[in-house]
Amino acid sequence: MSAFLAFALAVTAVNAVRPPAARATPAPRRGGILRLMLREDLPQGFAIHETATNSTVWPSLPCFNNLVTFQPLKPVERPDTIVGDLAERWAWTSDYRALTFTLRRHVRWHDGQPLTAKDVKYTFDMVREAPEASARLRINPRKDWYAAVEAIDVPDPYTVTFRLRRPQPSLLMMLASGYSPVYPAHIAPAEFRTRCVGTGPFRLKEWRKGEYVEYVRNPEYFVPGRPYLDGLRYVVIAERGTRFAALQAGQLDAAMPAEGTRTIVEQLKAAAPRMVVSEINVGVNDNLLLNTKRPPFNDVQVRRALSLAVDRRAYVRAVHQGGAVVGAALSPPPTGAWGLSAADLEGLPGYGRPADDKARARKLLADAGYGPGRPLRVEVATRAISLYVDFASFVINELRQVGIDGTLRQVETAQWHPLVTRREFEIAANLTGLGVDDPDANLYENYACGSPRNYGDYCDDQVMQLVEQQSREIDPKKRLAIVWQIQRKLEADAARPMMGWRLDYFAQWPYVRNLVPHHSAYNWSRMQDVWLDR
Amino acid sequence: MPSRGVGGAVARPASVAVTGAVPRLPAWSALGWFCRRKPLGAVGGALMLVVALGAVFAGSLAAYDPIETDAAHTLEPPGARHWLGSDHLGRDVYSRIVYGARVSLVVGLLSTVLGSVVGGLIGLLSGYFGGKADLLAQRVLDILQGLPLLVLALVMSATLGPSLPNVIVAISVPIVPRAARVIRASVLTIRESQYVEAARALGGGHGRLAFRHILPNTLGPFIVLATAQLGGAVLVEAALSFLGLGVPEPLPSWGRMLSVSAAEYAQKAPWLVLFPGIAISLLVFGSNLLGDALRDLLDPKLRGH
Amino acid sequence: MRRYVASRLGVAVLTLFGMSVVIFVLLRLAPGNIVDILFATGGYVNEAEKRLIMTELGLDRPIWAQYLRWIADVVSGDLGKSYRYDLPAWQLVKPLIPVTVELALISTAIAALLGIPTGVISAVRQDSALDHALRIFSLAGLSMPSFWLGMVIILALVAWIGWIPPVTYVSPAANLPLHLVQFLLPGLAVGYRSSALIMRLTRSALLEVLREDYIRTARAKGQSGPAVIWRHALANAILPVVTVVGIEFAFLIGGLVVTETVFNLPGVARFLVQAILWRDYPVVQNLVMFIAIVVILTNLGVDLLYAWLDPRIRYAK
């Protein structure tokens, strides 16, 4: 058969199996104001580097840029979806001990000053609390992200090099997170608690405290033709029911991440069938803190018994009405890159058949000397918010079934971190949100020996070694294997039993285009490419 | 100036406690007489009795454990399985209302009693002894009363933290000055009456005079005040719970049932909003009716209010 | 008269001082302070860093020193800086006052419009079925939590006409009809409750007056029913009613706290709740004192009005 014919047949065959071309999406239109919701007023204004909450990041991201960011239109966040933001290009040295960025030129801050590499050095020296840093953050939650950075060099105004003490491939992921914007060197960081000066697609117009935040288009934005929108309006509505009622009535255009539980969104979709809902894994997990310094939780068997007692799948059903997935210390696949899949979890405490697991739990407790005559009494501390209380109540209920006598203790939000930092708890129902799906951003903070946020004080030399090893490992496959091994050990040791990873049901009206929810809460709200199709 | 009770009923101090308006009869007949004389008051009393019975016999009256969740039957409308429907966690609304009666009544009653007793004592002593102590007490009461009720309860609650005893104390604090005012005014008028003059002439000591002669005659206004405040206390507890500063989980509280979760699901499940609110309203309504009836009986000068 | 006013003002100042101490101490007794909350938003806490911020805010000084500092500031016109927003408290509160005042005025107006006529009717037709019905209707208003009433109103609107009121503040300049509707609904919720009190007081005041001798005299003289009521009775009954309306206005603040939250109105009461939760001492202290001053002045004003309208009271104290 002639080559031509073969080629023609091949093309035909390919066209036959390719799905019919999707209706072409229309070309973006300019104009309009996107109306969004906030669940509370910005706690510290636009000072992203001084907070760890989406109430700051979600409405502040449009003001800023990072060195690099995740592709806005792709829902998963991976090293291969990282694109340049303020950086045109970047390169690792072959030993992954230095990362050099080449910055774009002609980028201006909102007050007209030019962006140079000095701003980058200033920002990250400040965050990593370098001795030569020229400014200090009042509150600095992510200092440890940059612990491996030895120095930041600025050989010329558009080149920045991060020199590391040891290889750390994760550095790039962390710089892409919404938590790593670049601050201007000529403005004190405290100013960001009241106003925002960035390089981003939108300029702050007004922040009416307790009511709304308004942005206008930045006409000098460095991406030509962007943003499409004329402005943004974030409205503060404290009651969740009211927020969604406003969305339903068309007074708002889109929701906020980690707000849409399954039940609420079902109600929303029933009333407004045209609403577009995306199921996303926002990188927030529920976990149990066990104080390993307090007997009997220093006994790994007792901890294991506790973990066995709580049926994770029942947890997903009862507390989240199915709106969660089971997983270990890192976000589970397919949305997470490093987590253990459901198949991997079989055999770990809490994921087996509930009756068997609970029987094993009772036996372990009996071995430790607890039984019907001498029940184990525990106190489960939790924040005085209904979501956490539901979580803790479920756990207490499960523990009751293996003979553990649990009481609930509610702690006001302001008291929560001091309490867990002082380790004044036995068991605590906790929530952890991950800034970026990366082992370094997660494991050090929560499981490293001596980390102040390792609230359970779990310390295992082997795990520590593995964590260090994976942080330096350049081969992704090898690294993944180590991370899996770590997670299995953590669950087997019941270091911080994971309950589940919440699913968010992000709702938006169909005329909101190019607002693609990512499988994270913090990294996708720049609104640079969003446009309104009406 | 009329002093305002929390429940809103205008309570004026009785000029003289009335004897003779309430005939002395054995209990059952007194009850029957009351029902005929003040039917609305009887209705109020009956409402409160129903709530009280619900609170006491919650265990037997409730259909389910109020904190037990049921993921398979969330947000069910009222029906055979859940008489008043179920909430977003599958908890039975009817059972939570029955158990919630406990919280509302306990908080309402205890805070009213605590506030009224403490306030009453202050009023009694202040009115009886008069002079500098009275003036000082007046100023302190002014301070407590100058702050709007809910604001003061809010600050107290934030100060003390979320727990049942703390909520009771927080709600009782605003009641103290109002109770003191009423009792003090009553004491002032009784103090000058001939009856007490006679007792004093006979050589009664202060204690005896205060507690054996004056106090019983303030009982009328005291009861009226207490029933008037009870409704208000229940409403304040509901408001505090609604704002998240009231009785903490897992105790079911009618106020908290109306907050966050109810508002979120209100469109899909309006029964979550209607029933707890109706429960609160009925309890307060009953206490107001009863309070009105008692005031009519014990203080004829106010008859017709 | 002047002595009366002077002595009342003197007492008021003393009371305000006492209140300032009470609120100051209560706030600081509450567990947790702004620094704890700031760290909570940061997701961690570090004792050393915390101490630095406390020193920066002046929270590490002894309580009496802080109190004196506060009083000195207020007296010299400095109304404090919000810990949360790092802006002058007055600047934050100023735009909220008109909203709360408007809501209070609308609620009071609705309360008076609803309460006075029903009170009159109820008194005139004493013990009739209408009287009982109106009394039950007004008592129901006293029994319902006003925030619940607000929620039910919104639910009913959604169910019957498929419309929800705007969830964010609509200024009169932007859309006057919508603005009025937005305030009418919470006004109804709060006003219904206040109307009950006004109705009851109107009724009782009117009843008392109707029994007075001079009314009987007027009737005996042949003056017709309605004229008697309107000219003599109401004029005399208006006195306690006016005083209660005045008092109710001041006491509305409590009802407004939950109503502003339910209807999401940017008023002073909602801001105060947030400030309490955030332990924003300067804002809470100054706002509460402001409310107390309003209440005391209102009481004083009402007392003076009472004394002026009723000469029997003026010199009796």
Side-chain angles (χ1 to χ4, degrees), chain B residues 110-116 166-177:
Chain B
L110 285 183
S111 58
T112 304
V113 165
L114 183 62
S116 304
N166 290 344
V167 170
I168 292 176
V169 171
I171 298 180
S172 69
V173 166
I175 295 181
V176 166

Side-chain angles (χ1 to χ4, degrees), chain C residues 26 42 49 51 55 81 98 108 113-114 140 147-148 195 207 217 224 233 282:
Chain C
L26 269 184
E49 291 173 21
R51 273 194 292 275
T55 308
K81 214 168 169 211
T108 309
L113 280 171
L114 207 53
F147 63 90
W148 180 68
S195 80
L207 279 175
T217 316
S224 58

